């Protein structure tokens, strides 16, 4: 089992732009987690908090497409 230990997201939390969290696990292997749409209204946004990975579900005011909310 590998746990993720560090991550970095260049653009921070931005629901209207698809982002990706990158980092390395305890084995030193690189990973990338991309924001994605759960459905046409819900976005899952990844972030890094205190060297741990967090994800948040966000309800888009319009629709969600290709890992970002569509600006209305």
């Amino acid at each position: 089992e590998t746990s993720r230990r560090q991550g970095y997201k260049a653009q921070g939390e931005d629901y209207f732009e698809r982002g990706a969290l990158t980092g390395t696990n305890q084995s030193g292997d690189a990973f990338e987690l991309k924001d994605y749409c759960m459905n046409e209204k819900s976005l899952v946004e990844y972030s890094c908090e205190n060297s741990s990975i967090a994800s948040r579900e966000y309800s888009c005011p319009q629709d969600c497409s290709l890992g970002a909310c569509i600006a209305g």
Side-chain angles (χ1 to χ4, degrees), residues 5-62:
R5 67 180 169 101
Q6 62 185 151
Y8 175 72
K9 191 160 188 178
Q11 64 272 43
E13 289 185 20
D14 182 353
Y15 302 119
F16 297 97
E17 184 175 328
R18 184 177 194 187
L21 181 78
T22 59
T24 56
N25 61 23
Q26 289 180 336
S27 300
D29 298 322
F31 67 86
E32 179 180 63
L33 299 171
K34 294 181 180 180
D35 300 340
Y36 67 95
C37 298
M38 286 184 57
N39 55 49
E40 61 186 34
K41 293 282 186 188
S42 298
L43 171 70
V44 173
E45 174 93 0
Y46 289 104
S47 62
C48 190
E49 297 175 1
N50 301 320
S51 296
S52 295
I53 294 171
S55 64
R56 289 187 184 82
E57 186 176 337
Y58 177 76
S59 285
C60 297
Q62 301 293 321

